[in-house]
Amino acid sequence: MFLGFTHLTNPEEVDWIKRQLEVERHAFVDENRKKWILQRLAAPSTLESFLEKKYSSEKRFGLEGCEALIPCLDVIVERCSQSGVQTLVMGMPHRGRLNVLANTLEMPLKELLALFDAKLKIPEQLSGDVKYHLGFTNSKLVANTGKKIELVMLPNPSHLETVNSVVLGRTCAEQFHLGDTRGDKVASILIHGDAAFAGQGVVSETLQLSGVSGYSVGGTIHVVVNNQVGFTTNPDTYRSSAYCTDVARTINAPVFHVNADDAEAVTFVSSLAAEWRAKFRKDVVIDLVCYRRRGHNEVDEPSFTQPAMYKLVSKHPRVFKQYADKLIKEKVVDHNWIAETQKSYQNSCEKAFADSEKITVLPPSLWENSSATSESDRSVAATGVDEATLMQIGQALSVPPDGMALHRNLKRILTQRKDMLSKRMADWALGEAFAFGSLLKEGVSVRLSGQDVERGTFSHRHHILHDQEVKGKRMSVLNRVFENQAEYTVHNSILSEYGVLGFELGYSLRRPRRSLVCWEAQFGDFVNTAQCIVDQYLSSGEKKWGLQTGLVLLLPHGYEGEGPEHSSARLERFLQSCDDDEDACPSAEELANPHFAQNQLRQCNWQVLNPTTPANNFHALRRQLALPTPKPLIMMAPKSLLRNPNARSSIDEMLPGKEFQRVIADSSVQNPASVKKLLLCSGKVYYDLVKRRQEDGLQQQVREPGVTALPTWSSRYCRSPSSASNSWRHSRMIAFGRNEKSSETQQ
């Protein structure tokens, strides 16, 4: 055992660890505790042997070589329960996952074994996933405390460390909704592999979130399963640092290195780590130095690349045998006690195996949160808001608050807002604020996160006001509008997309029908570096795992002379992942169905919108809480439209009775029969085409309806008698207007 803590800069923290070593180390393990440790080593060891016997050719990514992870987690859970924690949110990769599900989260073993049956039916709403990616939640009774603690294991894709910030976001949301400001009731555990902890950049991004306001969860307990090999790569090749955990030193986290074959030392540092988190509310790392008994998986041959290591591994006794021999020598147990303990676990496995053969459908505990599990009400709640509420929100955002010395240019912006309100008009920033503020009044919490979102990349939002004379004095305007309103949290994030978007995704998984969670990219193409979260969770999480989220991505989009890197949010990528059947064209009967839009939405992975007006943006944001089925919203957010005087909406368009429009009719043409060309367009392109149409004198020959929801369009829809576009069916040409790179990048 080696405890790395001398790099800590706080003397109190250093002294505390020293005291624990000097006082607690020798008195920690009594005879009963030793028997308990041996029992907890018997459980994972027996399960791994049983799985090898029954499913020798199956990939399991077993825990063999680090069975001490189970008593490690048991002690952490026990100590967290003693300190008052009621919920532990966990994330881990595939190695050892099945064993942790069975022995730590106490997933029914028969359900776990049923996952090995190739004939197991997957509900048609789901695509399913491999068994070592699945999540599980269980309320577990902690014997030593007599308390129940909820253990939440989030699902994880094959992409290592991706789940890290998702766990932190889910933890933060749990804390927020419980009013747990210090992390007393909800905590998080992350389990890592050694090569991934050293090599994956999202690890550093997640660690940097640990002490940042709006993202801190009061400390995370990290456990590194240090196999001393990454697939086929040796440590001297997969890292430059002395230890695989050295990245944690950047946040002054103590690192407890321990030999995973020393079971008593493992339980000691596990207790120490949990107590550290409870006292200091900071991250801590346990480095379980172990080995991997088999290859990367059970059908892989490790001796191809590590022949010397695996000659030693083949002769090395398992930790259960080592510790059993130790206790026999100490006369704590005898051979009969050990044999009975192993037999008890073996019998449990055999019984579970027999029971598993009766399970024919994927157990509901693994997918019951799916929004597709039942035919819920398909109606969409109203999104219009009374004028008095809108005006009260507008007043709060347009009048300088007392006692705040504002920047003179900001005063001018507030004056412009007040002038708009007097004309009963709203620009983009005001329309967004109307959506947020009205939801807050209804008791729906709103969270907005991303780089520079408090002010807004384009200096349009200003939801946090800063005093120009008093350092650090600031005010959150939308938190002061109504009595007894919900809380609005807006946070400038660290300069990260991957980690922060994962955090917001995790946050949005908790109570998706009672909170609006938005992540805004500084520029739309910045989402590129968070593509793993987009692909593995946001677009496919519901289909694979039944995850429900209404997360909103605000991606500033459009060619505005900023060059190729600050222009496109890659709209085409999101459209390709909508899961629409490109060969299926809705019939006239389907289009006439009043629930057509809702039916279509239920079958898609997400919504992709490119709003043209502030009013439609207002309704789209409010609609996230009104949909019968929560779905992610990918919003192509505007840039130039933020200040375009034509991109404004009347308050009338946001009142009760008004709603989100998938298509906005062009009302400027007096005689629809004279229209020769119909241009479907969305966003800023609409305003560009209107300007060009006026310049060319084609007002009565070309119509330009604004299309907002994509990809739902066909010529059949445009000519459908039931659609909003039925007055355009006489047009001889239908085209889609789009932004061309070459027309606007040269300035």
Side-chain angles (χ1 to χ4, degrees):
M1 181 174 63
F2 163 59
L3 305 189
F5 62 91
T6 56
H7 62 281
L8 302 182
T9 57
N10 187 331
E12 180 189 355
E13 297 171 357
V14 173
D15 291 342
W16 183 85
I17 294 177
K18 287 181 179 178
R19 285 196 301 273
Q20 305 309 305
L21 282 172
E22 294 167 357
V23 177
E24 301 291 339
R25 175 71 173 99
H26 301 292
F28 184 72
V29 185
D30 59 19
E31 188 171 298
N32 289 333
R33 192 68 168 177
K34 289 179 179 181
K35 288 183 178 179
W36 176 84
I37 292 173
L38 187 58
Q39 287 176 323
R40 297 312 292 153
L41 289 174
S45 180
T46 303
L47 179 59
E48 292 295 345
S49 298
F50 181 82
L51 294 177
E52 169 63 18
K53 174 184 173 183
K54 296 292 185 181
Y55 312 104
S56 59
S57 61
E58 286 265 7
K59 290 183 181 180
R60 307 182 302 278
F61 295 95
L63 194 57
E64 294 168 290
C66 195
E67 292 92 338
L69 177 64
I70 298 304
C72 168
L73 293 176
D74 286 343
V75 171
I76 292 172
V77 171
E78 176 186 284
R79 289 292 187 261
C80 286
S81 177
Q82 287 176 348
S83 67
V85 172
Q86 300 170 6
T87 300
L88 272 171
V89 184
M90 305 170 66
M92 69 178 297
H94 38 279
R95 183 161 314 286
R97 191 181 193 92
L98 299 182
N99 216 311
V100 171
L101 288 175
N103 287 306
T104 302
L105 279 82
E106 298 181 352
M107 177 181 179
L109 192 53
K110 64 180 181 180
E111 295 185 6
L112 182 72
L113 298 179
L115 299 175
F116 286 87
D117 185 355
K119 299 188 294 295
L120 187 71
K121 295 180 181 179
I122 306 297
E124 63 180 44
Q125 306 96 314
L126 304 176
S127 64
D129 198 359
V130 291
K131 48 192 165 291
Y132 39 81
H133 287 174
L134 300 177
F136 184 72
T137 298
N138 189 31
S139 184
K140 174 179 177 177
L141 180 66
V142 181
N144 285 6
T145 65
K147 302 176 184 177
K148 282 197 170 184
I149 187 169
E150 184 180 48
L151 301 180
V152 181
M153 176 69 77
L154 292 183
N156 186 61
S158 291
H159 298 70
L160 298 175
E161 308 296 334
T162 297
V163 76
N164 292 0
S165 60
V166 181
V167 166
L168 264 62
R170 172 66 183 266
T171 304
C172 188
E174 295 276 0
Q175 292 172 348
F176 174 83
H177 291 297
L178 285 174
D180 181 16
T181 57
R182 295 183 68 251
D184 294 325
K185 299 177 181 178
V186 185
S188 52
I189 300 175
L190 287 174
I191 303 169
H192 313 267
D194 52 319
F197 197 73
Q200 291 292 318
V202 72
V203 173
S204 178
E205 294 184 34
T206 303
L207 290 172
Q208 289 300 331
L209 290 172
S210 63
V212 178
S213 176
Y215 304 89
S216 175
V217 295
T220 297
I221 301 172
H222 302 265
V223 182
V224 178
V225 177
N226 188 349
N227 297 310
Q228 305 178 76
V229 62
F231 203 152
T232 66
T233 306
N234 291 322
D236 61 349
T237 305
Y238 75 61
R239 69 174 190 260
S240 298
S241 56
Y243 299 98
C244 65
T245 54
D246 280 350
V247 65
R249 294 166 64 94
T250 61
I251 62 166
N252 271 329
V255 182
F256 303 150
H257 307 274
V258 60
N259 181 358
D261 277 354
D262 186 344
E264 292 179 12
V266 169
T267 56
F268 171 73
V269 300
S270 302
S271 176
L272 187 62
E275 290 170 9
W276 163 277
R277 191 263 170 197
K279 181 171 180 60
F280 296 106
R281 294 296 190 268
K282 292 184 177 181
D283 285 33
V284 59
V285 179
I286 300 171
D287 180 17
L288 281 178
V289 183
C290 57
Y291 63 95
R292 191 186 65 196
R293 180 162 290 276
R294 303 180 187 277
H296 179 63
N297 57 62
E298 286 71 18
V299 297
D300 189 50
E301 177 50 68
S303 296
F304 288 154
T305 50
Q306 278 78 31
M309 173 186 281
Y310 278 89
K311 283 180 182 177
L312 296 174
V313 168
S314 65
K315 302 173 184 178
H316 191 73
R318 296 172 186 259
V319 63
F320 173 74
K321 185 179 187 311
Q322 292 182 54
Y323 196 57
D325 291 345
K326 178 179 183 292
L327 296 194
I328 290 173
K329 187 175 181 181
E330 295 177 358
K331 298 184 179 180
V332 175
V333 297
D334 56 24
H335 289 285
N336 288 335
W337 189 95
I338 292 172
E340 289 175 4
T341 299
Q342 288 182 297
K343 184 178 180 180
S344 174
Y345 283 113
Q346 181 70 26
N347 290 341
S348 297
C349 291
E350 292 290 355
K351 183 179 186 305
F353 178 75
D355 292 341
S356 71
E357 295 181 329
K358 303 172 186 177
I359 299 176
T360 59
V361 181
L362 184 70
S365 59
L366 297 172
W367 59 283
E368 60 187 3
N369 290 329
S370 172
S371 62
T373 58
S374 63
E375 289 294 319
S376 57
D377 180 15
R378 298 186 182 185
S379 61
V380 177
T383 55
V385 176
D386 65 273
E387 186 165 349
T389 296
L390 298 179
M391 287 300 180
Q392 189 169 344
I393 298 167
Q395 181 76 4
L397 286 161
S398 61
V399 176
D402 295 335
M404 291 287 290
L406 301 183
H407 193 283
R408 64 178 184 275
N409 288 345
L410 182 53
K411 290 180 180 178
R412 176 175 51 81
I413 292 173
L414 299 187
T415 300
Q416 291 172 349
R417 287 179 180 172
K418 189 173 183 179
D419 181 60
M420 271 192 295
L421 282 174
S422 67
K423 300 175 182 176
R424 301 181 68 257
M425 300 293 290
D427 63 4
W428 218 273
L430 203 51
E432 177 191 77
F434 284 163
F436 289 173
S438 57
L439 288 172
L440 296 172
K441 183 182 180 183
E442 295 166 9
V444 175
S445 61
V446 178
R447 177 182 171 91
L448 174 62
S449 166
Q451 295 159 24
D452 311 297
V453 296
E454 294 178 2
R455 189 203 74 174
T457 298
F458 308 102
S459 194
H460 66 288
R461 184 173 287 123
H462 298 287
H463 285 184
I464 299 292
L465 303 181
H466 296 263
D467 195 294
Q468 298 295 302
E469 298 175 356
V470 181
K471 183 179 180 180
K473 185 178 180 181
R474 44 187 274 150
M475 177 185 294
S476 176
V477 181
L478 282 176
N479 273 319
R480 302 163 58 91
V481 183
F482 304 102
E483 292 185 8
N484 303 318
Q485 68 172 65
E487 185 174 349
Y488 176 52
T489 53
V490 53
H491 296 289
N492 289 340
S493 73
I494 65 173
L495 197 63
S496 153
E497 289 83 32
Y498 191 168
V500 175
L501 181 56
F503 187 98
E504 302 308 331
L505 182 279
Y507 196 102
S508 71
L509 296 176
R510 182 68 174 130
R511 298 182 68 182
R513 297 179 185 275
R514 294 304 303 162
S515 59
L516 177 68
V517 183
C518 306
W519 175 78
E520 182 175 72
Q522 192 176 76
F523 289 89
D525 62 312
F526 284 20
V527 75
N528 289 349
T529 52
Q531 197 66 41
C532 193
I533 298 295
V534 172
D535 290 343
Q536 305 306 322
Y537 279 95
L538 203 57
S539 70
S540 59
E542 181 179 7
K543 196 71 172 176
K544 291 188 295 188
W545 307 313
L547 294 183
Q548 233 182 34
T549 172
L551 180 64
V552 178
L553 269 60
L554 302 173
L555 308 179
H557 172 74
Y559 291 96
E560 313 278 7
E562 294 280 357
E565 275 73 49
H566 279 5
S567 299
S568 175
R570 303 302 177 191
L571 171 63
E572 66 280 3
R573 293 181 186 171
F574 292 102
L575 294 179
Q576 287 173 343
S577 297
C578 278
D579 200 28
D580 268 6
D581 186 345
E582 61 184 18
D583 297 321
C585 186
S587 66
E589 291 75 20
E590 290 173 315
L591 290 168
N593 187 330
H595 297 301
F596 170 73
Q598 290 86 338
N599 291 340
Q600 188 181 51
L601 183 58
R602 286 173 64 87
Q603 298 166 8
C604 288
N605 295 326
W606 51 29
Q607 313 159 76
V608 181
L609 306 185
N610 189 18
T612 306
T613 68
N616 229 21
N617 184 60
F618 162 84
H619 287 293
L621 291 171
R622 285 186 50 81
R623 194 177 71 148
Q624 281 301 93
L625 280 301
L627 293 173
T629 303
K631 290 285 181 177
L633 171 57
I634 313 301
M635 186 87 80
M636 299 294 114
K639 293 187 287 184
S640 63
L641 294 191
L642 296 173
R643 290 181 175 80
N644 188 326
N646 295 317
R648 295 186 179 178
S649 296
S650 168
I651 297 294
D652 290 334
E653 297 174 48
M654 307 179 201
L655 298 180
K658 299 296 183 179
E659 61 183 4
F660 174 77
Q661 300 180 73
R662 300 177 95 195
V663 58
I664 302 173
D666 184 352
S667 58
S668 63
V669 177
Q670 299 173 359
N671 181 14
S674 67
V675 173
K676 299 178 180 178
K677 181 183 292 186
L678 176 65
L679 294 179
L680 303 179
C681 55
S682 61
K684 72 181 291 288
V685 176
Y686 167 76
Y687 298 95
D688 294 339
L689 290 175
V690 166
K691 181 180 178 182
R692 182 61 180 269
R693 182 178 64 175
Q694 292 173 342
E695 292 173 352
D696 293 348
L698 300 174
Q699 289 91 329
Q700 299 304 312
Q701 298 180 47
V702 179
R703 304 195 75 171
E704 293 139 0
V707 176
T708 299
L710 302 168
T712 62
W713 292 95
S714 68
S715 59
R716 182 180 297 179
Y717 183 86
C718 294
R719 293 192 173 104
S720 168
S722 62
S723 76
S725 54
N726 59 0
S727 61
W728 312 327
R729 59 185 180 273
H730 302 291
S731 60
R732 286 174 284 181
M733 178 183 293
I734 297 176
F736 200 100
R738 71 188 192 100
N739 212 190
E740 291 294 342
K741 299 181 185 179
S742 60
S743 65
E744 296 194 30
T745 55
Q746 299 176 1
Q747 290 191 7

